[in-house]
Amino acid sequence: MNTLTEKIQKAHTAHDISPENHNYPFASFAAALRSFSLLGDKPFLIYYDEFNNRSEYSYIKFIQLVRQTAGLLISRGVKRGTRIDTAAHNHPDSIIHYFTAWMIGACVV
C-alpha cells in the first residue's frame, strides 16, 4: 500500500469492508438502543473516578438514563438536526449525552 489513494481507501474501511458494503443490523440508533435492553443487568459501562471510586451502569440503567435525558432535551426544544454544544470530559454523563443526542438525531459539537 504505497499510493495516497490506497491509503485513503484503507482509512475508509473497517476490517476491509467499505461503508457501501457493510450491512447495518439496525435502522436507527434508537433501534440499536432498544436491542441493548435484551442484555438487561449486564454491565454496559464501568467508570473509576479520580479517587478510584467505581460506578457501574447496566444496559437497562444506561438506556433509562439516555431516555430520561432525551425527554429533558426534547422538552427544551432539542430535535432532529439540532446542534448541541458540550464541554465534555471523561465521565459517564458525557457518554449519556452523546448517546442521547444520537438517539434523537441531534448533533454534538
Side-chain angles (χ1 to χ4, degrees), residues 77-99:
V78 175
K79 58 187 176 197
R80 183 175 192 77
T82 302
R83 292 183 185 102
I84 303 170
D85 62 339
T86 184
H89 60 286
N90 188 15
H91 191 273
D93 290 345
S94 300
I95 297 168
I96 291 166
H97 294 155
Y98 274 84
F99 273 73

Side-chain angles (χ1 to χ4, degrees), residues 46-82:
I46 298 171
Y47 173 74
Y48 289 89
D49 68 13
E50 65 272 16
F51 304 108
N52 209 31
N53 296 313
R54 183 182 193 270
S55 58
E56 179 178 306
Y57 296 98
S58 68
Y59 279 87
I60 292 293
K61 181 64 176 174
F62 181 78
I63 293 166
Q64 288 172 344
L65 292 169
V66 167
R67 287 180 177 159
Q68 287 174 347
T69 306
L72 174 68
L73 292 180
I74 290 168
S75 75
R76 297 206 175 165
V78 175
K79 58 187 176 197
R80 183 175 192 77
T82 302

Side-chain angles (χ1 to χ4, degrees), residues 8-24:
I8 291 171
Q9 180 60 35
K10 180 70 174 173
H12 286 182
T13 64
H15 307 289
D16 294 321
I17 302 171
S18 69
E20 298 82 22
N21 295 325
H22 189 273
N23 293 322
Y24 297 99

Side-chain angles (χ1 to χ4, degrees), residues 1-13:
M1 181 169 51
N2 295 329
T3 70
L4 180 59
T5 302
E6 290 172 325
K7 289 178 182 179
I8 291 171
Q9 180 60 35
K10 180 70 174 173
H12 286 182
T13 64

Side-chain angles (χ1 to χ4, degrees), residues 22-33:
H22 189 273
N23 293 322
Y24 297 99
F26 306 106
S28 68
F29 203 79
L33 280 178

